[in-house]
Structures are given as C-alpha cells and as structure tokens.
Amino acid sequence: MNKIVDKEYFSANVVKFEVEAPLIAKSRKAGHFVIVRVGQKGERIPLTIASSNIEKGTITIVIQAVGASSKKICDLNIGDYIDDVVGPLGQATHIEKYGTVICAGGGVGVAPMLPIIEAMKKAGNRVISVLAARTKDLVILEEQVAEYSDEVVVMTDDGSYGKQGLITNGIEDVINREKVDLCVTIGPAIMMKFVSILTKKYNIPTMASLNTIMVDGTGMCGACRITVGGQTKFVCVDGPEFNAHEVDFDEMLMRLKAYN
Amino acid sequence: MEEQDKIKERRNEAWRDELRRSMKAKERTDRPRVHMPELDPEYRSHELKKEVNLGLSDEQAVYEAARCLDCPTPTCMSGCPVSINIPTFIKNIERGEFLEAAKVLKETSALPAVCGRVCPQEKQCEAQCIYTLKMKKEPVAIGYLERFAADYERLSGNVSIPELAPANGIKIAVVGSGPAGLTFAVDMAKKGYDITVFEALHEIGGVLKYGIPEFRLPNEIVETEIDVLRKMGVKFEKDCIVGKTISQEDLHEEGFKGIFVASGAGLPNFMNIPGENLIGVMSCNEFLTRVNLMDAASDDSDTPVQKGKKVAVIGAGNTAMDAVRTARRLGAEKAIIVYRRSEEEMPARIEEVKHAKEEGVDFLTLHNPLKYEGDENGRVQRMLLQKMELGEPDASGRRKPVPIEGATEWVDVDQVIVSVGVSPNPLIPSSFNGLQVSKWGTIIVNQDTMQSDLPEVYAGGDIVRGGATVILAMGDGRRAAAAMDKALQENK
C-alpha cells in the first residue's frame, strides 16, 4: 500500500500525486514508469514517473482522467492509499550530450517529459521545450519545464495561449531557425506520429515514448507489443522509448482501440 | 540414516505390518482404479470458476488406498521429483488417519493440494507404480489420493504447520513466488532460516495464480498453502522486482546471505507471422492473466477481456488447453486447438485433452497458421492455415511436421490466442552482474546443487529449464535449499 502525501490539480482532468514509494524513488531514472492498481478489482495501468524525492521517499505521477480506472485514481485524496505501485519499469532514457535537443510534449505527456528535460539539461544540452495543448487550461508544468529549458515554446490549438498551431508548427519553426541534434517526443500517439513524420523530413534523430495498453509491465504478456523497424517489441521491457522513425504508429493507433 | 533405511523403518511399524496382512495382495490388485467424479461437461463448459474434478469421497479414498501394495522398495517414490513418501501417506489413508497422511505429504511437499491437481502423474509417480511397471494394470491413483489428503486437512480447519528448526538468523532472499520459490522457502524455513520472498506481481503464487485457471486449480487452495508458509514465518514482499525496485547490492547491504532466483519463464513466444499484431491476437499469458489474476470476466472487475465467438488457440500444451477451455467458458461458440503435429505428440496432459474435448473444443491437428487478416478496424477476421504431415523423427525423437505443398485453408476467427511456449524473462538475469546465462536466456547452474557461477546465487524452475512443469520447479527448489544450506553451514 502506498500513501498519497500530496495532490494538486493541473487542470480539471489532470492531477498530480506525490506517493510514498521509497524504494522506487531511490532506483528510478528519467524515462522509467510504474504500474499502479487501485482497489481489489482494480486494473493495472502504466504511469510515467515525473519526479522523485529520495529524502521524502516519494515519487510524483501525473494522471489524466480519461477512463474508468484513471478517473478512480484521480478521485483519490491526500491520505488515501494506492493498493499497488510497482517499478521502476522499462528502460531509462539514454541521456548524453547531443547538442541541441527539442523536447516536444503534448497534453499530459509533458509530465513524463519533465525528468527527461531535466536530465538532458544536466548533461549539458541546449534544451528547447515545445509544449502543446488544445487550449490554455490544459498547458501543464510550464514553470517546471522552464527551469531546465533554454527556451520554452507553447502552442495551443485555439491560440488561447502561446502561439496558435500544432506542436509540429512549433518544432518546424525551431528547425528552420537553428541546428537540432535530437528530438524527444511524448504525447498522444497521433501527435507523436506527426512529429516523427516532420523530423524524418529534416533527418533529425527522434525518440518517442510509447504509451500502449499494458497489463503486467514486466514482459510477461505482450499486450504492449508494437512493430519497430519491422520487428515486434514489447514496450514495457524494450521501451518505452524507441527510434520514432522506425515505429509503426498506424499499428499503435489501431491497437490502442482494442478495448474501445 | 540412509533414505532407504528410513523408508524401511516406517514400513516396519506395527500398524503398517498389520494393515498389509489385513487383505490379500490378490484382493488388492483385483480392485479397479477409482474414477474421480467430475462436473457434467455441458454444465461446466459455462462455469468459469467451478472446479471440474470433484475429489474423492472418504470411502473412495480408503478403497483406492488399499490397492497400494506397500512395496518394500517403493518405485513410485523415484518418479516423484520431491520424493514424497508415497506408501506411508497412502497407508495412513487406508487406515483412516487422513490428517496423518497430510502430515506425511508436508514433510517433503510445500504444495500437496496443488500438486495433487496439476502434476502429470502419468509421467511421474504413477508411471513408476508397480501396477504400471509389472502388472500392466492402471496405477494406484497417487495424485487423487494426495489431493484427497490435502483437501481433507484444509476442510478440517486443522492445518498442520511443519516443525521448524530453531531460528539461525541467516537471511535468505527468494526471487519469485511461484512453485520453485515457495518450495525453496518452505525447506529453508524448516531449517531455521529467515526467508523473504520478493514477488513482482500484486499476488503471491506465480503461475498458480495468473496462469492455471480456477476450474483446474482454485485460488483459495493456493492461498491456503501460502498461508502455511506465512505461519512458518516466511515474509512476502509483493510489487517488488529484484533488479528494478531493489538491486542485488541492496540485498547484500541488507544482509541477505543467499539468493534463490526462481523468476520463471514468463516471456511469451510469438510466431512472427503477418497479422500477429492485429487486435484480437494475443498471448496465452495475456489472456489468462486478464481472466485469472485480474478476474476480467467478472462484471465488477476494471480489467477488460475480449470474449471471442470464434476462438483459435495455437499450440497444444497445458497452457493452450487452459486457454481454450477458458475461452469456451467466456462464451466462445467455436473454440479450436490448432496444432502443427498430431494428437499423439501433444504435450498437454491426457486428462486436459479429454476434458477439453468433452467441453466441445475442436481439434485441428496437423495445421499451422501462416498469417492472419483483419477487418477495416484492424480486428482479426480470419487465419490462413497450412496443412501438415508428419515426416522423419527429429533430434528429440518426435516426428517433424512438414508442410503439404499447396494445401492451405482459411478459417474464420475473431480471437486468436498464441500458446507456442515461453522464454525466460531476461529482466532478472540481466540485472545480476556476472551471472552466466545460456543462449536461450536460462541461468546456467550446477544440476545437482542449482548453484550459479555467482556463489551466493542459486536458481531453479523455469528460469533454469525454460517452460517446464510445476513439480520439476518444486524439485529444483528442494535441491537448491539442501545445497545452499550445506554450503552456508560449511562456511560458518
């Protein structure tokens, strides 16, 4: 059982939790995720670790209420317990000094991007973060992102905040302006697909963090499998990050609809 | 005392001698083997959680127990990977001391109610019974009797806890709570060690919980047996992945003097054929985990599961039988086993194949899938099967299936469950520095001691063998415990 020590609403449907998990706080790295389960009849769902506090023995996770299980978690309050939190899972992000890195996060994907932005900056990269959301209220973590970014570009679909346009418009502006060595993208699959198409056009290496359906998260079932470079990979153990230019996003988009 | 002498001594007890003389051998051998009562196939094929085999009555068990000839050299014991003293427990049943019989089982087996249900006895103890070896008669129903004694004890509410040696304060870690890990834990706890079992999932039991369905092995039975371990002082840490949540170094720092790795072979194999990533195609592990561990078929469970109407299960092992029978129970009108060899080569237990057939499962032997096709939404719609014939025997002695050129057929399906074996999960081996693994990803150990090339690390079960059986995993746990105990005592 893992106690919730802090809760904060980023927007009506996006909640940040700080949860007691001392062992995970100690061993996690940027890019790792956890599987959580709430209630004895609860589902196991994957959530990326946004940050951790080793002294307090806590990890931070950010959840968007989109279905029954995520809503159930979002309804929890400070002092409540999450029945199961297991991790850290997956491969950590490969961090090194690349040069200039674009970190492109869409919607709630900005939360899992945050530790990567921080690690990229600490590794000596010039970090340009491009955040995108449908509308102003859905832009999250801008301040924290800014702390480790050389520049933050905010894009909204409706132009209510930052620049009007899609995330790809924001990325393309940067690419046209200066040399970019790497792009990292996390967000809805459809967004990552179009980011990947764009950066491929400019030949910029791109990593995407995939958010497929998962059950155990330890490689036991293959629910999360996806085709990368023509080969089947398990996102939970081989990923969640892959070379975006090799990912079959259409297959991923299709498989995400398995239980719709 | 030598093992043989111990067996002899127990056989020579007065009550055993009297019992042997109470009935003529001919009378014993003339008795037909008892039949296990089971649920009606039509009824049970719609009941996901009702156990098929109903167990023996007291009278049936006593009657069957009298068939055992109490051989001076019990060959049956050599067929049991954990060397249960079979005649001693059976003779206790014959004389009506059922709780005593259960105690005898627990001397060597951590999970008798489980093994009585899922062991392939026809290949193990019962294959070495004198009835099988010398008389060409049906063997004594050792598995049924084991199950009877264990169930009797559980239902009596009088579950015995094995005797423990005084605590020696030495901490030992077990990685994985499946059959190998649990057996090892029991044996070491008996010897006085301080045992902690680390489990990645949110429930204890490994394949006993997520894999084998309720209709074959009720979770309640697994829980009862695990409770005995808790009462023996074994600690369980759920949601903890050694190598991820805690490292090998963490275990060292916390003072663990030995590690037994029993993380299993959880990684499902796929065939890498076109269409295998369509919606509705899944591994048997995913399907069974959803249904068994997550209870996905119940209305109050948050986990969904697909309930196909036309379901094909690829493969013919026990897991394939579990999956196809589960699919039937979830409402599949057509549930087919697709197997590339013939029925004779099927690795599943004969009983499971029989049960599946009774429950209306179709068998498409000598067929192998070539590809799957889906509809416009990416949901699997049909599969192309290659017809096969049996050729020359291969290295393993089984006749190799060979495609018949040009002989293919399309079969409509809306769900495909791939059950073509598992590979060792690399997660644990790769996180232990310097641990030697084979090209198949199994941990290399000394076959007698189960010790790896890292002196404090022992391993057993599927992580050493690839996909094998519950009882072989238990045997490994037992050998590892004996060897690790010996090594630790010598180094004192």
Side-chain angles (χ1 to χ4, degrees):
Chain A
M1 297 284 270
N2 303 69
K3 193 176 181 180
I4 295 170
V5 296
D6 195 25
K7 178 182 182 178
E8 186 186 330
Y9 279 91
F10 282 154
S11 70
N13 289 324
V14 179
V15 183
K16 181 190 99 169
F17 286 111
E18 200 178 334
V19 185
E20 278 180 359
L23 296 174
I24 302 172
K26 205 177 113 188
S27 49
R28 73 100 202 181
K29 290 196 175 75
H32 278 146
F33 68 96
V34 288
I35 292 264
V36 304
R37 188 179 75 115
V38 173
Q40 286 310 302
K41 294 286 179 177
E43 187 179 9
R44 295 170 65 97
I45 62 169
L47 293 167
T48 306
I49 305 168
S51 63
S52 73
N53 185 324
I54 298 176
E55 291 75 42
K56 279 172 79 185
T58 59
I59 58 168
T60 299
I61 49 182
V62 178
I63 309 165
Q64 182 171 26
V66 284
S69 290
S70 52
K71 192 174 176 311
K72 198 160 143 185
I73 297 172
C74 287
D75 286 344
L76 295 174
N77 291 306
I78 295 171
D80 287 344
Y81 288 85
I82 297 179
D83 295 64
D84 300 281
V85 178
V86 62
L89 297 165
Q91 302 294 327
T93 304
H94 183 73
I95 304 284
E96 61 174 272
K97 189 170 176 184
Y98 296 93
T100 300
V101 179
I102 291 182
C103 292
V108 74
V110 176
M113 183 66 91
L114 188 60
I116 298 170
I117 293 171
E118 182 183 338
M120 286 294 183
K121 183 68 206 168
K122 285 181 175 166
N125 291 289
R126 171 173 158 76
V127 177
I128 302 168
S129 296
V130 183
L131 313 184
R134 280 205 319 278
T135 186
K136 186 183 176 186
D137 292 347
L138 300 175
V139 177
I140 61 167
L141 291 164
E142 190 188 346
E143 211 176 293
Q144 290 90 330
V145 166
E147 195 183 330
Y148 294 103
S149 304
D150 294 275
E151 186 186 341
V152 181
V153 178
V154 179
M155 306 295 296
T156 51
D157 290 9
D158 60 3
S160 55
Y161 186 61
K163 287 187 213 165
Q164 195 272 324
L166 298 172
I167 199 161
T168 41
N169 303 126
I171 297 169
E172 198 158 18
D173 285 349
V174 178
I175 294 172
N176 286 333
R177 184 184 79 195
E178 60 183 292
K179 183 178 175 289
V180 175
D181 299 287
L182 178 76
C183 177
V184 185
T185 181
I186 309 182
I190 187 76
M191 183 207 95
M192 293 192 283
K193 175 184 166 177
F194 284 106
V195 169
S196 172
I197 290 170
L198 174 75
T199 57
K200 195 167 185 179
K201 192 172 87 182
Y202 290 99
N203 241 331
I204 297 168
T206 300
M207 293 194 299
S209 181
L210 307 187
N211 43 359
T212 52
I213 291 174
M214 285 188 192
V215 183
D216 62 286
T218 60
M220 223 180 78
C221 81
C224 64
R225 69 194 189 277
I226 197 77
T227 305
V228 181
Q231 282 187 317
T232 293
K233 298 280 181 188
F234 288 8
V235 172
C236 70
V237 289
D238 301 317
E241 283 173 9
F242 295 97
N243 177 349
H245 299 157
E246 292 192 337
V247 172
D248 184 341
F249 281 105
D250 291 328
E251 181 188 87
M252 180 176 162
L253 283 159
M254 173 195 92
R255 285 183 61 79
L256 283 168
K257 293 191 194 121
Y259 290 95
N260 286 3
Chain B
M1 205 178 348
E2 285 294 313
E3 202 53 43
Q4 277 306 320
D5 296 332
K6 276 193 227 167
I7 293 168
K8 217 167 265 169
E9 190 181 277
R10 294 177 91 163
R11 186 176 182 272
N12 288 339
E13 283 179 48
W15 68 268
R16 284 270 285 269
D17 193 44
E18 204 176 304
L19 204 61
R20 274 196 298 277
R21 282 187 281 134
S22 68
M23 196 191 291
K24 284 197 181 96
K26 171 108 177 44
E27 200 183 328
R28 294 179 189 273
T29 56
D30 279 351
R31 285 190 172 183
R33 178 177 155 120
V34 72
H35 283 282
M36 173 81 80
E38 25 185 80
L39 290 176
D40 170 67
E42 168 53 29
Y43 168 76
R44 74 184 193 232
S45 61
H46 306 289
E47 293 290 333
L48 182 63
K49 295 187 181 177
K50 294 242 163 74
E51 196 178 4
V52 170
N53 284 335
L54 298 171
L56 302 181
S57 67
D58 295 8
E59 293 74 27
Q60 281 177 310
V62 172
Y63 185 89
E64 178 68 21
R67 290 182 69 223
C68 168
L69 296 173
D70 201 4
C71 304
T73 313
T75 44
C76 53
M77 284 179 69
S78 68
C80 175
V82 297
S83 307
I84 288 175
N85 193 320
I86 293 167
T88 303
F89 100 80
I90 290 184
K91 290 300 117 178
N92 269 303
I93 294 178
E94 188 184 340
R95 68 164 171 160
E97 295 288 346
F98 304 148
L99 291 176
E100 204 52 44
K103 267 190 197 164
V104 175
L105 290 171
K106 280 207 196 137
E107 289 168 7
T108 48
S109 171
L111 311 162
V114 171
C115 291
R117 285 172 166 81
V118 304
C119 274
Q121 289 104 5
E122 67 273 14
K123 290 179 191 156
Q124 297 178 325
C125 54
E126 293 181 15
Q128 302 302 320
C129 173
I130 184 103
Y131 281 73
T132 315
L133 293 177
K134 293 278 162 65
M135 293 186 281
K136 303 270 178 281
K137 285 187 176 186
E138 282 200 287
V140 173
I142 301 167
Y144 291 176
L145 291 171
E146 178 183 23
R147 172 191 157 133
F148 168 80
D151 283 358
Y152 183 90
E153 188 194 43
R154 180 170 50 87
L155 296 170
S156 76
N158 204 347
V159 177
S160 67
I161 309 296
E163 253 178 69
L164 307 182
N168 61 21
I170 302 173
K171 284 169 77 176
I172 305 293
V174 181
V175 182
S177 69
L182 293 179
T183 301
F184 174 88
V186 165
D187 276 16
M188 291 299 270
K190 279 187 196 167
K191 296 177 204 291
Y193 290 90
D194 178 2
I195 308 294
T196 307
V197 180
F198 297 93
E199 167 58 48
L201 287 173
H202 61 267
E203 289 222 29
I204 305 297
V207 73
L208 308 175
K209 282 277 180 64
Y210 74 74
I212 306 175
E214 287 284 292
F215 58 81
R216 208 149 73 80
L217 177 66
N219 278 347
E220 185 202 340
I221 282 160
V222 182
E223 257 325 295
T224 310
E225 303 215 316
I226 291 166
D227 251 349
V228 174
L229 272 76
R230 289 197 184 94
K231 287 182 184 144
M232 292 171 70
V234 175
K235 284 164 273 186
F236 290 96
E237 293 284 346
K238 294 189 277 191
D239 297 324
C240 187
I241 307 174
V242 173
K244 290 274 183 188
T245 316
I246 55 171
S247 65
Q248 187 190 356
E249 292 74 36
D250 291 335
L251 290 174
H252 270 292
E253 275 170 34
E254 286 182 33
F256 286 96
K257 298 290 179 220
I259 303 170
F260 180 58
V261 179
S263 51
L267 214 65
N269 295 340
F270 285 93
M271 292 171 68
N272 299 315
I273 57 176
E276 220 171 12
N277 290 349
L278 287 165
I279 298 173
V281 183
M282 65 192 72
S283 73
C284 52
N285 269 12
E286 178 183 350
F287 181 65
L288 291 172
T289 298
R290 285 178 185 273
V291 177
N292 297 331
L293 183 74
M294 306 311 293
D295 199 20
S298 293
D299 292 336
D300 60 352
S301 171
D302 294 344
T303 303
V305 65
Q306 192 189 344
K307 297 177 181 179
K309 290 290 166 213
K310 289 170 281 185
V311 183
V313 175
I314 316 301
N318 286 318
T319 316
M321 297 305 147
D322 286 343
V324 81
R325 295 172 69 197
T326 299
R328 269 292 278 162
R329 283 158 170 80
L330 296 190
E333 285 149 17
K334 201 166 174 56
I336 326 164
I337 284 282
V338 177
Y339 183 48
R340 63 195 178 120
R341 301 179 196 251
S342 73
E343 189 165 333
E344 212 171 297
E345 291 86 19
M346 284 192 184
R349 292 190 67 190
I350 293 162
E351 185 182 37
E352 307 310 330
V353 175
K354 179 188 117 190
H355 279 158
K357 282 185 178 166
E358 288 168 357
E359 288 162 13
V361 169
D362 294 327
F363 282 72
L364 215 46
T365 54
L366 292 166
H367 281 75
N368 200 32
L370 291 174
K371 65 173 170 179
Y372 306 103
E373 280 185 4
D375 62 15
E376 65 281 5
N377 298 315
R379 292 179 187 269
V380 68
Q381 207 170 22
R382 57 181 194 152
M383 58 181 180
L384 182 63
L385 300 179
Q386 168 70 57
K387 294 182 186 176
M388 314 288 282
E389 62 189 346
L390 290 180
E392 294 300 308
D394 63 12
S396 72
R398 289 199 297 185
R399 291 179 65 192
K400 208 174 139 125
V402 189
I404 304 171
E405 210 178 315
T408 59
E409 67 172 309
W410 285 100
V411 175
D412 286 347
V413 284
D414 59 6
Q415 186 174 20
V416 175
I417 299 164
V418 183
S419 183
V420 294
V422 285
S423 299
N425 195 321
L427 208 145
I428 311 278
S430 66
S431 64
F432 276 70
N433 266 334
L435 191 63
Q436 256 200 322
V437 293
S438 72
K439 63 176 173 177
W440 300 281
T442 52
I443 298 177
I444 298 171
V445 294
N446 174 317
Q447 293 298 316
D448 299 321
T449 63
M450 309 311 285
Q451 189 175 29
S452 75
D453 58 329
L454 299 176
E456 78 284 11
V457 178
Y458 292 62
D462 283 0
I463 192 65
V464 163
R465 298 173 175 273
T469 63
V470 166
I471 192 69
L472 287 173
M474 292 178 63
D476 288 353
R478 152 128 321 139
R479 281 205 309 288
M484 190 190 282
D485 174 50
K486 191 162 170 261
L488 287 167
Q489 295 307 326
E490 279 168 4
N491 287 341
K492 252 185 176 175

